[in-house]
């Protein structure tokens, strides 16, 4: 009780030093939280991937297509429940800088396979029955102010010309980890267009998306699909959706690993700063600890005083940093929506913040505590005056 | 390791007010610390009452100090973040007293040194003399049998020093406290009943009743 009083007052005794240390911790925890959020946002797409879905692409490279005729053959493979397919369209809306992912897909099977994209029934029906119909994610529609019935023109970068679509539906994510910035339209519509300009490239798809009956044997199903097309003109490579997404991220992953390391470096730097503060304050209080020992207080009491003071300072700073992480990440998220469609502070990040704060306090307090306990009373008392 | 004290043998009677004099560096503080159980001698034994404190463990020694010794230092050594009354209460936190009786004891001790009106002040808001009086209140609040004082007036002006010395005299005379006071101020030593001189680690055999 008395010790609590002393340690709290000690923590805020030197106002300037405490404020600066707390500010430093707050900024460090904020930076740590944002960096961790970048990392977890980066993997959000991977995490959202379903274990019960496979992706089949051309074995040579994703840029080579596969014949649409494979659809039936894949459907016949044991364990396959549902087959959909699509192409990356890569269209540009008005200007290059307005990037968002846009695909053509086989609409009936696609939304059956991706229940995380939630459509209302009336809009879904309108989309399915309109050849030129399109579906946009809620965030995307909000960003450009699109309304149902609007005509949206994308300029093809792979397929030349301007392509007009009519927005028929807006999807919502099933939960807040789902990307709401994508744009889908009918594969058949793209195919018709291609028939006119490059007939040779018609009737082809970029990838198949496959729902399996049993996620636990998904790997076997993938092997069976690839065997089905062995020695054909276009061999396939089938992998789980997770592996497929990770493959896309592989290169950027090195950067993410670097970011992850930087986030720990930030914590390490602030640990050094807090350790320095604790070393200074406990040195100044050498006499206080000596007098407490003189009066009969023991090592346990000194430990409580020093660890407590370090905890008060660190947790105060960390609390401020954590509170600031939420609005800051919202600003970051809206600025970086193109790169991180989902930018949310995860519960795990908050746990890591708290764990980091405790680690900082512990390692900053341990050496001063050891010193304060070990110093002989007589020597401690001589430090006064 | 450099020896500080040599072959010192002496007795202090219960209820005595002893002044230990000597030049700077002669070992006065070291001797006082040994007697008060905050330093350990390489050789020899120290008996206080019927306890040989040189045989006590660190923890036993701490408990013995808390029970039997009150400390007064040159630089008062109050905890700066605690108010006067909280500083005086501090040693009582090692007892089983209730919050309320701790506070009562502390207030009574402060009243004895004439500082009941400064109870809620922090050390930094008080003069040196007042801080030393708070330190005396802290030293007596547990009702110890021995008071040790290391240059208690060393940092005080004449008037404050006189006040502190009178207070110590009263504690010795009226409350029967055994006091051991280190000082190199002859005027402070004059208040003690017995004088001893320490020089370069040797205790002179000239203990004498104070003529004053
Ligand atoms: N921690 C220490 N390490 C080494 N020598 C010390 C230490 N403390 C005191 N001394 C030496 O012990 C001697 C006695 O010191 P002290 O008891 O403080 O003397 P006094 O109180 O009479 O001035 C001095 O020579 C001093 O330099
Ligand atoms: Mg001394």
């Amino acid at each position: 009780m008395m010790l609590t009083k002393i340690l709290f007052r000690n923590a805020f005794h030197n106002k300037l030093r405490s404020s600066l240390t707390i500010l430093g911790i707050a900024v460090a925890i904020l930076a740590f939280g944002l960096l961790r959020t970048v990392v977890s946002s980066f993997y959000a797409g991977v995490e959202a991937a379903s274990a019960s879905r496979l992706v089949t692409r051309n074995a040579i490279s994703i840029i080579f297509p596969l014949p649409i005729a494979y659809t039936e053959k894949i459907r016949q493979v044991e364990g396959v429940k549902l087959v959909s397919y699509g192409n990356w369209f890569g269209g540009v809306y008005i200007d290059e800088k307005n990037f968002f992912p846009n695909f053509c897909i086989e609409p009936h099977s696609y939304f059956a396979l991706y229940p995380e994209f939630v459509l209302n029934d009336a809009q879904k029906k309108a989309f399915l029955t309109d050849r030129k119909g399109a579906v946009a994610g809620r965030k995307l529609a909000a960003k450009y102010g699109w309304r149902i019935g609007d005509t949206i023109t994308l300029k093809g970068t792979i397929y030349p010309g301007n392509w007009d679509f009519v927005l028929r539906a807006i999807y919502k994510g099933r939960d807040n980890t789902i990307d709401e910035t994508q744009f889908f339209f009918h594969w058949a519509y793209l195919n018709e267009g291609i028939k006119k300009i490059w007939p040779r490239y018609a009737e082809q798809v970029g990838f198949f998306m496959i729902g399996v009956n049993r996620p636990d044997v998904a790997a076997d199903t993938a092997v069976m699909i690839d065997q089905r097309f062995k020695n054909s003109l276009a061999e396939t490579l089938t992998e789980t959706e997770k592996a497929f997404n990770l493959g896309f991220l592989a290169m950027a992953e090195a950067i993410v690993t670097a970011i992850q390391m930087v986030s720990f470096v930030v914590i390490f730097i602030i640990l050094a700063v807090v350790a320095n503060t604790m070393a200074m304050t406990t040195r100044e209080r050498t006499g206080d600890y000596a007098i407490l020992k003189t009066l009969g207080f023991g090592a346990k009491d000194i430990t409580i005083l020093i660890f407590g003071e370090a905890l008060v300072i660190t947790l105060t700073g960390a609390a401020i940093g954590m509170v600031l992480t939420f609005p800051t990440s919202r600003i970051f998220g809206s600025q970086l929506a193109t790169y991180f469609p989902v930018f949310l502070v995860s519960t795990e990040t908050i746990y890591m913040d708290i764990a980091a704060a405790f680690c900082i306090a512990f390692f900053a307090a341990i050496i001063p505590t050891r010193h304060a306990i070990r110093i002989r009373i007589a020597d401690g008392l001589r430090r006064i005056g | 390791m450099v020896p500080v004290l040599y072959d010192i043998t002496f007795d202090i009677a219960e209820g005595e007010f002893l002044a230990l004099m000597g030049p700077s560096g002669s070992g006065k503080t070291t001797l006082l610390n040994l007697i008060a159980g905050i330093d350990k001698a390489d050789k020899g034994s120290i008996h206080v009452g019927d306890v040989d404190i040189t045989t006590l463990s660190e923890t036993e020694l701490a408990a013995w100090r808390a029970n039997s010794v009150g400390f007064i230092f040159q630089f008062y050594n109050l905890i700066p973040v605690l108010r006067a009354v909280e500083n005086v209460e501090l040693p009582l936190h090692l007892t089983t007293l209730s919050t309320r009786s701790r506070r009562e004891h502390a207030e009574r001790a402060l009243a004895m040194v004439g500082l009941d009106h400064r109870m809620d002040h922090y050390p930094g808001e008080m003069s040196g003399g007042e801080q030393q009086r708070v330190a005396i209140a802290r030293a007596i609040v547990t009702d110890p049998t021995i008071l040790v004082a290391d240059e208690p007036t060393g940092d005080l002006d004449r008037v404050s020093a006189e006040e502190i010395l009178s207070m110590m005299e009263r504690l010795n005379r009226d409350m029967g406290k055994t006091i051991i006071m280190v000082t190199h101020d002859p005027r402070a030593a004059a208040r003690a009943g017995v004088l001893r001189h320490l020089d370069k680690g040797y205790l002179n055999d000239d203990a004498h009743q104070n003529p004053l």
Side-chain angles (χ1 to χ4, degrees), chain B residues 4 66 72 87 105 124 142 174 188 206:
Chain B
V4 176
I72 304 161
N87 263 292
H105 277 72
T142 51
D174 303 344
D206 63 343

Side-chain angles (χ1 to χ4, degrees), chain A residues 379 382, chain B residues 4 23-30:
Chain A
D379 293 334
R382 272 179 216 276
Chain B
V4 176
S24 226
S26 56
K28 304 182 298 293
T29 296
T30 307

